[in-house]
Amino acid sequence: MDERDQVGMRGRSGSTGTTTVRLPREIWVLVGASFVIAVGFGLVAPALPTFARSFDVGVTAVSLVISLFAVFRLGFAPVSGRLVSRFGELRVYVVGLGISAASSALCAFAANYWQLLFFRAFGGIGSTMFTVSAISLLVRLAPPEARGRASGSWATGFLLGNVAGPLLGGLLIGFGLRVPFLAYAVAVLVALVLTAVMLRGRTGPPVSADPSAAPAATFRSAFGHPTYRAALAASFANGWAVFGVRVAMVPLFVVEVLRYGDAWSGYALGVFAAGNAVTLMVSGRWADRAGRKPPVMTGLAISAVGTAVLGLIESMPVFLVLSLVCGIGSGLVNPAMTAAVADVIGAKARGGTVLAGFQMAGDLGAIIGPLAAGAVAEQAGFGWAFGVTGAISALALLFWLRAPETLPAGGAVAADDSIPDCVAAEAGPTALTTSPGMAPVVAPAAVREPREEK
């Protein structure tokens, strides 16, 4: 039995891999930075709509400031992936943070609406740069048997920051609408210094400068892997439901259907965040012990049913309970889904374009979801809008039903060979090689000869 099989079996049983493997210090640096960034982002959230409105523009113009940020994130994601593969994660991460800090500071000094629109959209470029590079670092630096915990810890840092940020932002607004933007710039600069100093020399050279590195995984090769396709579907559904419909539809539903005040919208979103927070780390450990599929499929099922029923509720206490359940479902999905993408890329390769595609799927869902659900709500009512959102999660669940398990373990596809092996398996037993630019498909571990060390 080779070393990879031994590590994989430990990860399955949980007797060694998932309970004793410590996350590297670099992971905790990324977690701390994600918390600081999220706090800063949350500082701006309460002030941005009101600040845009202060330039005497309509609601549509205010919405454009918010949505254009997501559009620029989506459009620049492929470029960010290529930059990561060429220059390395840390450089792209630091530059992305620098762009975000500059964007926020410039927003604070915007003299008119069009300047605010441009500066805010410019920040979307920095956002996608540091997001893609951070996930790429998680993929490479986390031990394969601890990828779920690493993803859960990173997501928890963002979540806690998103909870704390708006609370602080609401206080800062009292000193002026421009103050939160300056505070966000300072927070991002703190994260930049933290990562630049503590990760310098600890992340490895870029692929283009490392002759011993495995060829970078490409989006085309990863898309041939059914688990990656399932992750794209789940990311799209998650973006649609969590970052799109929940933020856009829940406040309207609470006010217009349940007839409660605006504050109760915040309570509902807070309950969802609480369910998400308490589940993230549990999901990560579960994914490292039992595999990536069980938590993702369970979470998608919970999200599909919970969200579909949400629009039929007429009682606020029941609505809050269901919001908590939906938060639990979302928390189960995220760490295991990210870990599965990491497994597909493998530990020895970098996959900037693969991760960019994964992020783009979520951003696309966040952009399309509110528009589609809003149109459905206007034509058929909120019940149908939430029902369609639940159906999107159910469709993503269907992708995961046929996706192979990627957790490195005895009998499962090893992480380093996951893309070529699964593509070959789909093509048939006679497919001994893959498309140009991909590594040759190796025989199963039980029958292949020992490999020579390069």
Side-chain angles (χ1 to χ4, degrees):
M1 181 180 296
D2 64 19
E3 182 180 353
R4 288 187 309 182
D5 290 334
Q6 292 172 357
V7 171
M9 291 183 70
R10 291 197 299 267
R12 288 281 188 174
S13 66
S15 60
T16 303
T18 60
T19 57
T20 61
V21 173
R22 298 179 61 183
L23 294 177
R25 188 187 75 170
E26 294 82 359
I27 298 296
W28 293 113
V29 173
L30 291 173
V31 171
S34 73
F35 174 77
V36 173
I37 293 167
V39 167
F41 190 85
L43 291 174
V44 170
L48 183 58
T50 307
F51 186 45
R53 198 87 160 95
S54 69
F55 292 110
D56 197 24
V57 297
V59 176
T60 301
V62 172
S63 300
L64 183 61
V65 173
I66 298 172
S67 62
L68 202 60
F69 180 87
V71 170
F72 268 66
R73 269 178 57 91
L74 178 67
F76 201 76
V79 179
S80 298
R82 295 188 185 97
L83 290 175
V84 166
S85 296
R86 181 174 179 83
F87 297 106
E89 295 93 345
L90 186 56
R91 290 181 180 177
V92 177
Y93 187 83
V94 169
V95 171
L97 290 179
I99 291 174
S100 296
S103 165
S104 184
L106 289 171
C107 284
F109 295 102
N112 54 58
Y113 169 78
W114 296 107
Q115 287 184 7
L116 177 65
L117 185 68
F118 175 79
F119 294 149
R120 183 63 179 167
F122 178 59
I125 295 176
S127 175
T128 196
M129 288 178 68
F130 71 69
T131 301
V132 171
S133 53
I135 298 176
S136 183
L137 283 172
L138 283 174
V139 168
R140 289 201 308 106
L141 299 178
E145 63 271 30
R147 283 174 178 157
R149 279 192 294 139
S151 300
S153 299
W154 188 70
T156 300
F158 262 114
L159 180 63
L160 294 179
N162 281 324
V163 172
L167 298 177
L168 297 175
L171 297 175
L172 289 177
I173 289 177
F175 297 95
L177 289 173
R178 299 176 186 268
V179 174
F181 293 91
L182 294 174
Y184 181 29
V186 172
V188 173
L189 287 176
V190 169
L192 189 156
V193 173
L194 175 71
T195 52
V197 172
M198 301 189 70
L199 295 183
R200 184 178 180 182
R202 304 179 67 91
T203 61
V207 171
S208 57
D210 186 5
S212 64
T218 65
F219 178 83
R220 181 178 179 181
S221 61
F223 195 76
H225 195 304
T227 302
Y228 182 68
R229 295 196 298 268
L232 292 180
S235 180
F236 177 82
N238 200 51
W240 179 305
V242 178
F243 301 107
V245 171
R246 179 160 296 277
V247 174
M249 292 287 105
V250 165
L252 294 176
F253 185 83
V254 168
V255 174
E256 297 183 12
V257 178
L258 298 180
R259 303 296 182 181
Y260 277 76
D262 292 331
W264 285 92
S265 300
Y267 300 154
L269 294 176
V271 168
F272 176 89
N276 206 313
V278 299
T279 314
L280 283 171
M281 294 305 298
V282 175
S283 173
R285 293 182 181 276
W286 186 10
D288 289 335
R289 292 184 178 185
R292 317 308 190 194
K293 291 183 64 175
V296 173
M297 294 178 65
T298 302
L300 286 173
I302 292 174
S303 296
V305 175
T307 304
V309 175
L310 207 58
L312 306 176
I313 301 303
E314 298 180 354
S315 166
M316 176 55 75
V318 177
F319 188 84
L320 292 177
V321 171
L322 267 181
S323 294
L324 178 67
V325 170
C326 289
I328 291 173
S330 176
L332 288 174
V333 171
N334 282 318
M337 176 177 61
T338 304
V341 174
D343 295 338
V344 168
I345 294 172
K348 295 182 180 179
R350 285 175 178 163
T353 57
V354 178
L355 293 169
F358 176 61
Q359 176 194 301
M360 288 175 68
D363 287 341
L364 193 61
I367 293 171
I368 295 177
L371 299 176
V376 172
E378 287 184 345
Q379 297 299 320
F382 283 97
W384 282 100
F386 283 104
V388 169
T389 302
I392 296 296
S393 294
L395 288 175
L397 178 60
L398 294 179
F399 278 85
W400 279 92
L401 286 174
R402 70 178 301 271
E405 178 58 63
T406 59
L407 176 65
V413 178
D416 291 347
D417 300 318
S418 56
I419 292 178
D421 280 354
C422 280
V423 171
E426 287 203 323
T430 59
L432 299 178
T433 59
T434 57
S435 59
M438 289 175 57
V441 176
V442 296
V447 298
R448 65 173 179 251
E449 295 294 329
R451 293 185 293 186
E452 295 182 359
E453 294 292 329
K454 294 182 179 180

